[in-house]
């Protein structure tokens, strides 16, 4: 297409179409109007979680489904029904989740997969392995190995503060744990993925260093129980469920493709949306912009300031206008946050109704949000204060977990 | 951690149990074992690990020549016609903690096997010497059945000898004669030897089994879940309860009645009372669970480090 043949309008249209959303483990950028999740689910080939599935989970676990499920934060899955079929027949599974420890500053968005995983651990009474990919951060960011390892340990403390059960949880960092059976599995996976495929899945190019290209197997193999001989010896066919944000899907597409070729079961996945930044869906929550998110180290005062000043409101500009037209719930960030963090369904429904119809003002909604967030953050801080170095050592010790299914 | 062969043999010596020991290459079948020790005059045993529909495990140890009919055995145990099948490999490794081809009565010394039922062939009693594997299949030990009994009794296991070839009719007027050997889910502890499993106990134990399943059915929320719960409790030994959920419920169970009492004094109506208590419970629950989990994790951490230091300084013997 020669430039001379294009009119100005055509060129502009082409540019708009080029702003496709990009979702992969290292980049998340939305086109206009935020992330199109329907398109993403179609593109990735995973399935949506429907009400029937949520009910099924409630029945099998004998407790109400977690808020994040009910409100559609965890909204997609792969093979979750198959996993539940097996669970119903008495066959157990284990959970696998992880974190790339790139910074010490954790915000609520980071905690969400862990809060949900904790619920899964309690509800299904199954063990959990948590991978801290300190090697990944070393490879992708400008960090020293020492710093990556240090960040991994610091992040482990916040993870532990989410309330995981030490009798059922094994936390490990790649720099400390890779080797033995884990490394053998990494090699098996690596041998099954061509350079072409890796480039296709992860967007690598010939200028990327080989560390990046050889990283994916590290994140793949915790899906296989034989990677953890101290935990799952003799249980080679034990299933795995991976709660993660949907941008991690490529790793596990690759894993699921390779698994049957090396005689292992495919892991199942349960995936979440992205958590909106305070300033709205089109902004990215960034560790470098302190005002884009609520951090686990924020005081009640800081939370108040951030919510009041930066949380994007869907309310109208004046009180009269607001009482007349009501609020736009689609863009209102406090409502989105309440959607995820306010447990009581009736309470939330009431607030949404009153706000939409203009009877409740933005200020009131924000006040409610501040209260809810402060409670969560305070609880986290209290638990975090009690996490000692010895406790981290214990969680990370390569030890058997005899009560892991109890 | 499972017993090793050496630990087992040391224990036998401690108990002054006389036995002889034969080394040979690894054998996986009775025929192979016979090639190495069959000429020595003792009685070879064949050992099966069986599992019933409720995942309870049984070691059947018989003379190599005894015919064991699993259908008849199943009926005699009160498990119905097809209630018994060979247990999967994992049970060997996890519960008995022995390798493949090595099922042996000696494996019952492991704590993990405390809920496994052992049925011994009556025929052993008439033999002077019987051959078994002592936790590995590259060794055979020879001892008398009375010495085997001495060993079993030493850790609280009452030997149960059964005529494995008998096929009594089982029906309305003839209750299953081996029903008392079905594990009841409560393991034998070494301080309390199990009562002598004689026929007079049959009705007593039969009453126990249904009651327990009744209680379990009430406690669980769905039929499906009860299967899962039963599996784990019947095969695993019950441990000190470390459930945070249970702890928090226990705390509320203590506080609720006290609070109710005080609130009643303030003339609060009964209906309001329960909604107040429920509301309180709902609001306190997340924080209580969080601090309980912290305490649990901290206690475990201390225990873990204490154990580690003990091992470091004093070795396996502690």
């Amino acid at each position: 297409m020669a430039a001379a043949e294009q009119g100005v309008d055509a060129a502009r249209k082409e540019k708009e179409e080029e702003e496709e959303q990009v979702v992969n483990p290292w980049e998340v950028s939305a086109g206009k109007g935020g992330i199109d999740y329907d398109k993403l689910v179609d593109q990735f080939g995973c399935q949506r979680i429907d009400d029937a599935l949520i009910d099924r989970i409630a029945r099998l676990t004998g407790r109400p489904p977690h808020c994040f499920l009910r409100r559609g934060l965890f909204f997609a899955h792969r093979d979750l029904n198959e996993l539940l079929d097996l669970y119903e027949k008495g066959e157990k599974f284990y959970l696998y989740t992880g974190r790339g420890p790139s910074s010490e500053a954790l915000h609520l968005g980071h905690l969400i997969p862990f809060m949900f995983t904790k619920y899964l651990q309690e509800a299904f009474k199954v063990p959990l392995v948590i991978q801290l990919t300190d090697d990944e951060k070393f490879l992708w960011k400008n960090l020293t190995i020492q710093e990556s390892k240090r960040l991994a340990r610091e992040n482990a403390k916040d993870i532990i503060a989410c309330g995981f059960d030490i009798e059922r949880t094994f936390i490990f960092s790649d720099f400390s744990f890779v080797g033995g059976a884990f490394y053998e599995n990494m090699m098996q996976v690596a041998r099954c993925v061509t350079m072409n495929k890796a480039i296709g899945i992860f967007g690598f190019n010939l200028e990327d260093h080989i560390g990046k290209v050889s990283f994916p197997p590290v994140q793949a193999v915790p899906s296989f129980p034989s990677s953890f001989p101290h935990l799952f010896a003799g249980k080679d066919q034990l299933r795995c469920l991976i709660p993660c944000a949907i941008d991690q899907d490529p790793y596990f597409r690759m894993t699921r493709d390779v698994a049957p070729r090396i005689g292992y079961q495919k892991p199942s996945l349960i995936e979440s949306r992205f958590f909106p930044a305070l300033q709205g869906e089109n902004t990215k929550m960034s560790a470098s912009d302190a005002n884009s998110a609520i951090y686990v180290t924020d005081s009640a005062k800081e939370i108040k300031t951030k919510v009041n000043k930066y949380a994007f409101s869907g309310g109208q500009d004046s009180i009269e206008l607001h009482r007349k037209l009501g609020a736009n719930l689609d863009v209102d960030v406090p409502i989105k946050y309440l959607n995820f963090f306010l447990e009581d369904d009736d309470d939330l429904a009431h607030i949404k109704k009153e706000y939409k119809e203009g009877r409740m003002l933005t200020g009131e909604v924000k006040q409610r949000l501040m209260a809810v967030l402060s409670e969560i953050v305070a609880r986290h801080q209290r638990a975090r204060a009690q996490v000692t170095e010895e406790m981290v050592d214990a969680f990370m010790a390569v030890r058997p977990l005899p009560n892991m299914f109890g | 951690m499972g017993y090793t062969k050496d630990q087992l043999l040391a224990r036998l010596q401690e108990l002054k149990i006389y036995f002889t020991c034969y080394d040979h290459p690894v054998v996986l079948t009775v025929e192979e074992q016979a090639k190495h020790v069959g000429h020595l005059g003792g009685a070879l045993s064949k050992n099966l690990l069986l599992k019933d529909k409720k995942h309870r495990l049984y070691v059947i140890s018989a003379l190599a020549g005894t015919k064991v009919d699993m259908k008849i055995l199943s009926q005699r145990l009160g498990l119905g016609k097809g209630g018994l099948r060979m247990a999967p490999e994992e049970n060997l490794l996890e519960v008995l903690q022995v390798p493949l081809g090595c099922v042996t009565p000696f494996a019952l010394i492991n704590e993990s096997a405390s809920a496994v039922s052992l049925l011994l062939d009556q025929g052993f009693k008439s033999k002077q010497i019987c051959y078994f594997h002592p936790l590995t299949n590259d060794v055979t030990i020879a001892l008398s059945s009375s010495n085997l009994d001495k060993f079993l009794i030493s850790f609280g296991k009452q030997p149960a000898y059964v005529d494995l070839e008998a096929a009594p009719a089982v029906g309305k007027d003839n209750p299953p004669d081996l029903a008392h050997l079905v594990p009841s889910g409560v393991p034998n502890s070494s301080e309390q030897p199990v009562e002598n499993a004689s026929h007079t106990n049959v009705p007593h134990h039969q009453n126990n089994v249904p009651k327990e399943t009744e209680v379990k059915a009430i406690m669980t929320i769905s039929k499906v879940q009860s299967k899962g719960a039963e599996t784990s409790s019947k095969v695993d030994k019950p441990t000190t309860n470390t459930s945070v959920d249970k702890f928090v419920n226990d705390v509320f169970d203590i506080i609720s009645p006290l609070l109710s009492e005080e609130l009643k004094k303030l003339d609060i109506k009964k209906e309001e009372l329960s909604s107040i208590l429920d509301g309180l419970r709902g609001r306190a629950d997340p924080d209580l669970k969080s601090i309980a989990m912290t305490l649990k994790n901290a206690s475990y951490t201390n225990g873990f480090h204490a154990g580690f230091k003990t091992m470091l300084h004093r070795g396996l013997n502690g």
Side-chain angles (χ1 to χ4, degrees):
Chain A
M1 260 188 296
E5 287 178 68
Q6 288 179 301
V8 174
D9 287 327
R12 197 186 303 140
K13 193 171 178 197
E14 197 184 319
K15 185 146 195 277
E16 271 174 23
E17 280 163 0
E18 270 171 36
E19 275 173 37
E20 287 262 317
Q21 63 187 19
V22 177
V23 177
N24 67 48
W26 303 286
E27 189 191 340
V28 175
S29 59
K32 280 217 206 79
I35 299 275
D36 183 342
Y37 286 103
D38 286 324
K39 208 170 174 187
L40 199 60
V41 164
D42 274 336
Q43 187 192 341
F44 282 0
C46 42
Q47 263 124 338
R48 279 200 168 249
I49 294 178
D50 57 15
D51 287 333
L53 187 47
I54 298 178
D55 282 334
R56 189 177 184 199
I57 294 174
R59 265 182 296 117
L60 278 177
T61 56
R63 59 180 74 199
H66 192 274
C67 210
F68 292 168
L69 269 173
R70 298 198 317 263
R71 310 280 173 74
L73 178 52
F74 275 83
F75 75 113
H77 74 95
R78 289 185 187 275
D79 286 347
L80 185 55
N81 268 310
E82 284 75 359
L83 189 84
L84 295 178
D85 289 339
L86 292 165
Y87 185 78
E88 214 164 12
K89 295 200 189 107
E91 206 182 297
K92 301 287 192 171
F93 61 90
Y94 71 102
L95 293 161
Y96 155 41
T97 193
R99 167 158 170 80
S102 54
S103 67
E104 236 169 309
L106 271 123
H107 53 61
L108 285 181
H110 293 136
L111 286 191
I112 282 176
F114 292 109
M115 289 160 75
F116 188 64
T117 304
K118 184 209 147 137
Y119 148 78
L120 290 172
Q121 178 178 68
E122 257 180 42
F124 285 99
K125 298 198 188 352
V126 289
L128 162 67
V129 301
I130 300 179
Q131 178 183 44
L132 295 166
T133 57
D134 41 6
D135 52 351
E136 183 205 357
K137 290 308 161 188
F138 170 77
L139 290 167
W140 262 267
K141 308 265 178 181
N142 193 18
L143 297 168
T144 61
I145 292 191
Q146 201 186 26
E147 182 65 359
S148 313
K149 285 162 86 168
R150 190 191 70 82
L151 286 174
R153 265 188 85 93
E154 285 307 306
N155 283 185
K157 291 179 190 164
D158 279 292
I159 292 171
I160 290 170
C162 291
F164 291 107
D165 186 339
I166 199 170
E167 284 196 302
R168 282 197 243 251
T169 307
F170 173 57
I171 302 179
F172 65 101
S173 84
D174 291 339
F175 277 130
S176 307
F177 190 68
V178 169
F182 192 93
Y183 185 66
E184 286 171 21
N185 280 342
M186 276 168 57
M187 290 300 105
Q188 290 210 291
V189 170
R191 197 167 69 169
C192 289
V193 183
T194 61
M195 189 67 135
N196 263 327
K197 198 118 194 226
I199 290 175
I201 297 175
F202 300 108
F204 296 137
N205 62 61
L206 294 179
E207 299 309 312
D208 281 321
H209 59 70
I210 56 177
K212 289 189 182 180
V213 176
S214 44
F215 176 75
V218 182
Q219 187 155 327
V221 306
S223 325
F224 307 133
S226 58
S227 303
F228 304 102
H230 66 288
L231 295 177
F232 305 128
K235 292 197 178 89
D236 274 7
Q237 300 300 305
L238 184 65
R239 303 289 177 139
C240 178
L241 175 62
I242 307 176
C244 61
I246 197 165
D247 65 340
Q248 301 296 309
D249 193 84
Y251 279 119
F252 305 115
R253 276 207 302 281
M254 176 197 78
T255 310
R256 285 167 54 91
D257 189 54
V258 170
R261 289 192 265 158
I262 54 180
Y264 292 144
Q265 295 292 345
K266 295 185 197 178
S268 299
L269 274 86
I270 184 166
E271 295 162 307
S272 75
R273 298 171 185 273
F274 303 111
F275 196 65
L278 276 173
Q279 294 99 330
E281 291 271 15
N282 286 338
T283 325
K284 197 173 157 208
M285 251 196 301
S286 162
S288 45
D289 179 5
N291 295 320
S292 62
I294 305 291
Y295 285 82
V296 299
T297 43
D298 284 343
S299 64
K301 192 160 173 224
E302 282 167 312
I303 294 176
K304 188 171 174 188
T305 311
K306 284 188 188 178
V307 171
N308 271 330
K309 268 178 101 170
Y310 299 105
F312 186 82
S313 167
Q316 302 301 336
D317 291 330
S318 69
I319 296 185
E320 298 86 41
L321 216 58
H322 184 88
R323 294 237 188 260
K324 195 166 155 201
L325 300 171
N328 179 357
L329 296 190
D330 288 333
V331 300
D332 188 276
V333 168
I335 287 289
K336 285 182 200 276
Y337 274 43
L338 281 173
N339 203 28
F340 300 138
F341 292 120
L342 182 56
E343 278 278 341
D344 189 323
D345 289 335
D346 294 328
D347 211 342
L348 180 70
H350 175 81
I351 293 174
K352 277 180 161 169
K353 183 158 188 249
E354 298 297 288
Y355 192 43
K356 187 169 186 185
E357 294 174 9
R359 285 185 294 274
M360 196 180 279
L361 299 175
T362 296
E364 292 172 69
V365 176
K366 284 193 171 183
Q367 267 211 321
R368 195 59 207 278
L369 179 63
M370 285 183 258
V372 167
L373 291 178
S374 301
E375 198 186 308
I376 294 174
V377 170
R379 187 176 304 132
H380 185 93
Q381 283 168 356
R382 186 179 49 223
R384 172 71 159 84
Q386 308 263 45
V387 177
T388 58
E389 293 297 334
E390 288 78 20
M391 201 185 281
V392 176
D393 289 335
F395 265 97
M396 295 183 75
V398 177
R399 69 210 190 277
L401 298 178
N403 288 340
M404 59 177 158
F405 293 114
Chain B
M1 263 268 59
Y3 272 72
T4 63
K5 172 202 75 180
D6 293 320
Q7 286 173 325
L8 172 67
L9 298 183
R11 182 78 125 117
L12 289 172
Q13 282 166 343
E14 265 174 58
L15 294 166
K16 307 248 192 296
I17 289 175
Y18 178 73
F19 66 93
T20 18
C21 200
Y22 303 98
D23 290 313
H24 50 67
V26 167
V27 294
L28 292 173
T29 61
V30 177
E31 294 77 35
E32 279 177 50
Q33 190 183 26
K35 286 191 201 141
H36 299 284
V37 296
H39 58 287
L40 298 167
L44 287 159
S45 65
K46 65 180 170 195
N47 298 271
L48 307 164
L49 181 64
L50 302 179
K51 186 177 190 170
D52 66 19
K53 291 194 173 150
K54 294 192 174 160
H55 304 283
R56 293 175 292 214
L57 292 171
Y58 307 81
V59 167
I60 315 290
S61 189
L63 291 171
T66 300
K67 283 200 181 56
V68 176
D69 186 323
M70 291 204 340
K71 276 201 270 302
I72 295 180
L73 206 55
S74 172
Q75 281 186 297
R76 288 173 72 185
L77 285 162
L79 302 170
K81 281 207 185 129
L84 278 179
R85 44 198 69 187
M86 299 290 285
E89 218 177 289
E90 301 105 66
N91 292 141
L92 243 88
L93 298 167
E94 282 164 32
V95 180
L96 291 189
Q97 301 199 64
V98 291
L100 208 52
C102 196
V103 179
T104 166
F106 287 101
L108 277 107
I109 195 178
N110 284 315
E111 289 237 312
S112 51
S114 53
V116 177
S117 179
L118 174 64
L119 276 73
L120 295 163
D121 191 341
Q122 210 159 266
F124 284 135
K125 284 196 170 155
S126 56
K127 303 283 178 194
Q128 273 193 329
I129 296 283
C130 309
Y131 295 132
F132 301 98
H133 283 306
L135 306 180
T136 54
N137 29 20
D138 56 350
V139 179
T140 298
I141 51 178
L143 77 177
S144 66
S145 66
S146 53
N147 273 334
L148 177 63
D149 293 349
K150 202 168 164 187
F151 170 74
L152 293 167
I153 293 171
S154 78
F155 56 91
K157 200 83 183 175
Q158 198 64 16
Y161 286 92
V162 169
D163 180 357
L164 288 171
E165 283 186 330
V170 173
K172 221 173 37 166
D173 301 318
N174 302 308
D177 66 315
L178 300 180
H180 58 284
L181 295 173
V182 171
S184 61
V186 180
N188 300 322
S189 76
S190 36
E191 291 111 46
Q192 305 156 10
V194 172
E195 287 168 34
N196 207 337
S198 67
H199 285 269
T200 52
N201 276 346
V202 169
H204 179 68
H205 276 268
Q206 270 192 310
N207 284 339
N208 275 350
V209 173
K211 213 192 271 176
E212 250 176 76
T213 41
E214 239 176 60
V215 172
K216 282 203 169 69
I218 294 168
M219 286 202 307
T220 57
I221 290 162
S222 68
K223 228 192 260 180
V224 161
Q225 254 199 311
S226 75
K227 258 192 223 151
E230 272 181 344
T231 316
S232 53
S233 65
K234 290 228 151 70
V235 173
D236 300 338
K237 189 178 151 181
T239 54
T240 332
N241 199 312
T242 52
S243 159
V244 160
D245 274 2
K246 183 173 184 302
F247 176 75
V248 170
N249 283 338
D250 288 348
V251 167
F252 280 126
D253 287 343
I254 295 173
I255 296 188
S256 293
L258 297 175
L259 195 56
S260 289
E261 249 183 75
E262 294 301 309
L263 289 176
K264 279 202 192 115
K265 289 184 194 162
L266 299 170
D267 271 335
I268 295 186
K269 289 189 217 116
K270 226 181 186 178
E271 314 83 58
E272 278 180 33
L273 207 68
S274 65
S275 83
I276 291 175
L277 286 172
D278 283 338
L280 259 173
R281 197 171 175 141
R283 286 163 57 196
D285 201 74
D287 283 319
L288 271 179
K289 287 219 171 102
S290 171
I291 60 177
M293 186 62 87
T294 299
L295 180 63
K296 171 176 166 173
N297 289 346
S299 310
Y300 176 109
T301 299
N302 285 354
F304 178 80
H305 286 285
F308 185 74
K309 291 208 177 80
T310 304
M311 278 290 290
L312 215 52
H313 297 304
R314 311 189 75 201
L316 263 167
N317 294 322

